[in-house]
């Protein structure tokens, strides 16, 4: 397999906010070729928002690249808002974007929580999906949450202990509940430090070889992200993962699908990706032998780029 490079940085040719309810307005940007084949990028988290590097998985000469910040995330307004913020709402928002842009069919690309959302969307609107590129599969089943919020300590005891450090002994059986109380506290002197600590835990287990995070910390951004993520996790992300697998087998069997999974993914372990590949026999499962969860690890990045190159052959007609 030839080595591919991320595409050069590109700037949006337009961006806007779309009001999707009386409360929420979502940020949407378009990059690449306005007349190209459309692809929508679904970010992870929940709560993360998009960043410029995510545009670089797609050939800007071929693709009409669409990214948006989900409700409460990134540049969407209001930040950190969890009212009227469910997976069903986000699926409806994706349809709103598609109709707003007058797109009939598009490629759908999502990683981690973005893979969950991509499957939820495709299961409901498969007639509009040209292909699926999915990374780090997550179906928000209870055993997946239990891994992330406890069992992963078998591999990352230091990171787990850092998350646990401020939690009183009598709350350690419900770390999620403790952090929810802290992060939703109206006093930002309480909520922002808790949010930073919560987000740092996931960041510290993202890659096979951890990298120092040099990004400047913005307390308000950290708070919005943590509030949205905790809100979703408390509700198993408003999906039934077992039903999603069954629906995928029934609804998505004819859609070209690539599943990219890090063998040593400690956020979303490989079993879920393997189960999805069993439900979708047409899917190409790429198990990257030397990668964790991050999309930017070399093997994972290469697999994603090869998928977007391969799918250039598909016509939206």
């Amino acid at each position: 397999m030839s080595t591919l490079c991320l595409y050069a940085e590109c700037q949006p040719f337009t961006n806007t906010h779309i009001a999707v309810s009386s409360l929420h307005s979502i940020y949407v940007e378009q990059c690449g070729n306005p007349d190209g084949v459309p692809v929508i990028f679904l970010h992870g988290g929940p709560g993360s928002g998009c960043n410029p590097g995510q545009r670089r998985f797609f050939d800007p000469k071929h693709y009409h690249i669409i990214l948006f910040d989900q409700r409460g995330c990134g540049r969407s307004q209001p930040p950190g808002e969890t009212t009227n913020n469910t997976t069903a709402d986000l699926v409806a928002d994706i349809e709103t974007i598609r109709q707003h842009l007058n797109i009939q069919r598009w490629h759908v690309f999502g990683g981690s929580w973005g893979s969950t959302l991509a499957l939820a969307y495709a299961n409901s609107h498969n007639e509009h999906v040209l292909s699926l590129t999915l990374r780090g599969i997550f179906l928000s089943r209870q055993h997946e949450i239990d891994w992330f919020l406890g069992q992963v300590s078998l591999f990352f005891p230091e990171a787990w202990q850092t998350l646990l450090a401020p939690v009183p002994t009598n709350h350690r059986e419900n770390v999620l509940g403790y952090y929810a109380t802290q992060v939703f506290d109206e006093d930002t002197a309480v909520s922002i430090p808790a949010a930073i600590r919560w987000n740092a835990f996931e960041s510290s287990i993202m890659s096979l070889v951890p990298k120092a995070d040099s990004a400047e910390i913005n307390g308000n951004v950290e708070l919005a992200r943590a509030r949205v993520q905790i809100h979703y996790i408390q509700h198993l992300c408003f999906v039934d993962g077992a039903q999603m697998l069954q629906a995928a087998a029934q609804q998505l069997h004819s859609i070209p699908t690539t599943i990219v999974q890090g063998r040593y993914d400690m956020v979303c372990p490989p079993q879920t990706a393997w189960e999805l590949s069993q439900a979708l026999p047409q899917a190409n499962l790429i198990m990257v032998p030397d990668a964790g969860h991050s999309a930017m690890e070399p093997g994972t990045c290469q697999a994603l780029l090869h998928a977007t190159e391969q799918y250039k052959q598909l016509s939206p007609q």
Side-chain angles (χ1 to χ4, degrees):
M1 185 180 292
S2 60
T3 300
L4 300 175
C5 296
L6 288 166
Y7 287 95
E9 293 184 8
C10 63
Q11 298 301 314
F13 59 79
T14 187
N15 59 64
T16 189
H17 282 81
I18 299 176
V20 289
S21 76
S22 59
L23 177 60
H24 289 278
S25 174
I26 56 172
Y27 171 85
V28 182
E29 67 178 35
Q30 301 176 66
C31 313
N33 181 356
D35 299 316
V37 179
V39 56
I40 186 164
F41 180 96
L42 305 179
H43 69 69
S48 297
C50 291
N51 65 69
Q54 293 160 342
R55 307 166 189 159
R56 301 180 63 192
F57 287 109
F58 312 99
D59 182 348
K61 295 181 180 178
H62 178 83
Y63 286 109
H64 174 187
I65 308 160
I66 300 138
L67 301 91
F68 81 105
D69 291 338
Q70 296 156 27
R71 295 190 184 201
C73 303
R75 291 147 290 188
S76 292
Q77 298 294 323
E81 181 58 63
T82 58
T83 303
N84 299 330
N85 194 342
T86 69
T87 301
D89 291 319
L90 302 186
V91 168
D93 293 348
I94 296 170
E95 268 298 275
T96 296
I97 294 168
R98 185 188 65 79
Q99 293 166 6
H100 180 80
L101 299 178
N102 196 28
I103 291 168
Q104 181 57 36
R105 299 178 74 204
W106 51 7
H107 298 280
V108 178
F109 183 114
S112 192
W113 156 250
S115 75
T116 323
L117 184 55
L119 287 167
Y121 175 75
N123 280 338
S124 301
H125 301 283
N126 62 341
E127 70 277 15
H128 298 304
V129 178
L130 189 56
S131 77
L132 287 166
T133 301
L134 309 172
R135 173 195 59 81
I137 310 305
F138 175 64
L139 293 179
S140 198
R141 294 169 293 181
Q142 188 61 55
H143 71 267
E144 295 175 70
I145 300 297
D146 291 343
W147 168 266
F148 177 60
L149 290 178
Q151 294 165 10
V152 75
S153 65
L154 293 169
F155 287 87
F156 285 94
E158 308 97 328
W160 181 248
Q161 185 55 43
T162 299
L163 182 69
L164 215 59
V167 181
T169 303
N170 61 331
H171 288 277
R172 291 192 174 186
E173 293 301 313
N174 185 9
V175 173
L176 178 63
Y178 172 80
Y179 271 93
T181 300
Q182 298 292 297
V183 164
F184 282 93
D185 195 294
E186 293 183 0
D187 183 354
T188 56
V190 173
S191 59
I192 288 179
I196 292 170
R197 187 179 291 264
W198 172 269
N199 294 333
F201 168 67
E202 182 177 6
S203 296
S204 70
I205 64 173
M206 285 283 284
S207 303
L208 181 61
V209 179
K211 298 178 176 63
D213 188 356
S214 59
E216 184 176 340
I217 293 176
N218 181 315
N220 291 323
V221 171
E222 296 286 328
L223 182 59
R225 175 179 178 174
R227 283 182 171 176
V228 171
Q229 184 174 73
I230 288 174
H231 163 70
Y232 271 79
I233 292 176
Q234 284 185 308
H235 296 90
L236 294 179
C237 293
F238 304 95
V239 298
D240 182 321
Q243 288 185 2
M244 287 186 75
L245 277 176
Q246 294 173 1
Q250 297 168 0
Q251 302 289 336
L252 309 182
H253 55 82
S254 63
I255 295 176
T257 301
T258 299
I259 302 168
V260 179
Q261 178 68 41
R263 172 66 73 185
Y264 299 102
D265 187 334
M266 293 292 162
V267 180
C268 301
Q271 181 182 11
T272 303
W274 182 84
E275 289 176 305
L276 180 61
S277 74
Q278 298 303 294
L280 298 175
Q282 88 285 5
N284 180 21
L285 172 62
I286 302 169
M287 195 70 74
V288 183
D290 55 352
H293 186 66
S294 172
M296 292 302 181
E297 292 177 270
T300 301
C301 186
Q302 283 295 302
L304 293 171
L305 287 166
H306 276 281
T308 65
E309 283 297 294
Q310 175 189 350
Y311 290 144
K312 284 182 181 181
Q313 301 171 17
L314 299 179
S315 168
Q317 304 305 319

